[in-house]
Amino acid sequence: VVSFFVLVAIFAPLLAPYEPNNINIDEALSSPCKMHPLGTDQLGRDLLSRLIYGARISLFVGLIAVGIATLIGILFGSLAGYYGGITDSIIMRFTDIMLCFPTFFLILAVIAILEPSIINIMVIIGLTNWMGVARLIRAEILSLKEREFILAEKTIGASDLRIIAVHLIPNAFGPVLVSATFGVAGAILVESALSFLGFGVPPPTASWGEILSQSKSYLHRGAWWLVVFPGLAIFITVTAFNLVGAGLRDAMDPRLRE
């Protein structure tokens, strides 16, 4: 399912039957039919085309935001786990402070100050979701840094940077990969929620949350397709990423293979 949505996002110009922003008032709020399999919105724009292009926004935001969060988390977590002492205390107390803030409301506050754009959304989601990765990588490095192969590297004079980058991080990356997969699902939900509240990608750019936001004014007129189809797209994508994360977690847990 994840592969399907990734391919849809990549080949959106080839798959979309219409331009996503083409307005045709004569066909406004048309129910699903042969010409428009998923119906049209209040401006007569084809919903299927907008959902296909919306997959680009949702997946792009999810992957880039999680990439930023993972890089920051790996940096802080590896430094805290390897050096320990005062470095560990400072980084972990800062991490604890960041965890005290309600992430979604922190994102809302920053977005309200800055100009809404896809770049700002990706960066802000990434900057407010690195704490879990940092704690994971720190815990893994704490258990790895006393292993024989790390002590051997220190004995032959390997630098701290080489030990961290070449030996510790690759061996500690399994749980981080699982966390990142779950993080993509979370980032897609956050982007959709921001777009639904009007703080997301500015229109007329199609995103699943923006389509849902526009639909709430027309639901009383029987335009059920404006809610059902983007809602299903979000639900299926988020569920698929969560299931991939659960599968990776089970595959990397040696206790489950016994």
Side-chain angles (χ1 to χ4, degrees):
V1 173
V2 169
S3 299
F4 170 76
F5 278 104
V6 170
L7 290 174
V8 166
I10 293 172
F11 297 105
L14 300 177
L15 297 174
Y18 302 92
E19 285 295 319
N21 297 322
N22 275 0
I23 296 175
N24 187 351
I25 299 298
D26 293 335
E27 296 183 343
L29 297 179
S30 296
S31 59
C33 60
K34 184 176 181 180
M35 293 295 295
H36 302 283
L38 301 186
T40 63
D41 64 8
Q42 70 279 6
L43 297 177
R45 296 174 296 190
D46 182 65
L47 186 60
L48 175 60
S49 301
R50 291 183 64 77
L51 287 178
I52 289 173
Y53 274 86
R56 281 186 160 186
I57 299 296
S58 295
L59 294 178
F60 190 60
V61 169
L63 293 173
I64 299 299
V66 168
I68 294 171
T70 301
L71 288 176
I72 297 173
I74 287 175
L75 174 62
F76 285 159
S78 58
L79 292 176
Y82 184 76
Y83 288 107
I86 187 66
T87 302
D88 184 27
S89 297
I90 292 174
I91 293 176
M92 284 299 102
R93 295 301 75 75
F94 176 63
T95 303
D96 292 339
I97 291 171
M98 288 296 295
L99 284 169
C100 290
F101 291 101
T103 303
F104 187 73
F105 292 105
L106 180 61
I107 294 172
L108 276 179
V110 177
I111 288 289
I113 297 171
L114 300 176
E115 178 184 356
S117 71
I118 187 172
I119 300 297
N120 288 340
I121 291 172
M122 291 187 298
V123 172
I124 292 167
I125 294 176
L127 291 177
T128 53
N129 285 277
W130 55 268
M131 294 79 73
V133 175
R135 298 178 77 172
L136 272 176
I137 202 81
R138 170 185 175 271
E140 290 294 315
I141 286 180
L142 282 174
S143 67
L144 287 170
K145 70 177 184 179
E146 301 300 330
R147 300 280 182 88
E148 289 81 1
F149 69 98
I150 299 298
L151 297 176
E153 284 290 315
K154 292 181 179 179
T155 302
I156 63 176
S159 65
D160 291 345
L161 178 61
R162 174 179 173 79
I163 293 173
I164 293 172
V166 177
H167 297 285
L168 288 176
I169 291 178
N171 282 285
F173 199 71
V176 175
L177 180 61
V178 175
S179 175
T181 306
F182 286 118
V184 173
I188 291 173
L189 276 179
V190 170
E191 185 279 325
S192 299
L194 289 173
S195 296
F196 181 79
L197 295 174
F199 293 99
V201 180
T205 304
S207 77
W208 294 341
E210 186 267 341
I211 296 171
L212 279 175
S213 178
Q214 297 292 327
S215 69
K216 64 181 183 288
S217 300
Y218 301 93
L219 188 58
H220 69 282
R221 297 174 59 178
W224 55 269
W225 55 92
L226 294 179
V227 175
V228 171
F229 294 125
L232 278 175
I234 295 171
F235 170 75
I236 293 172
T237 305
V238 169
T239 301
F241 272 104
N242 282 331
L243 290 174
V244 170
L248 287 173
R249 180 188 58 204
D250 294 345
M252 293 179 179
D253 190 343
R255 293 172 297 180
L256 297 177
R257 296 197 296 267
E258 294 176 356

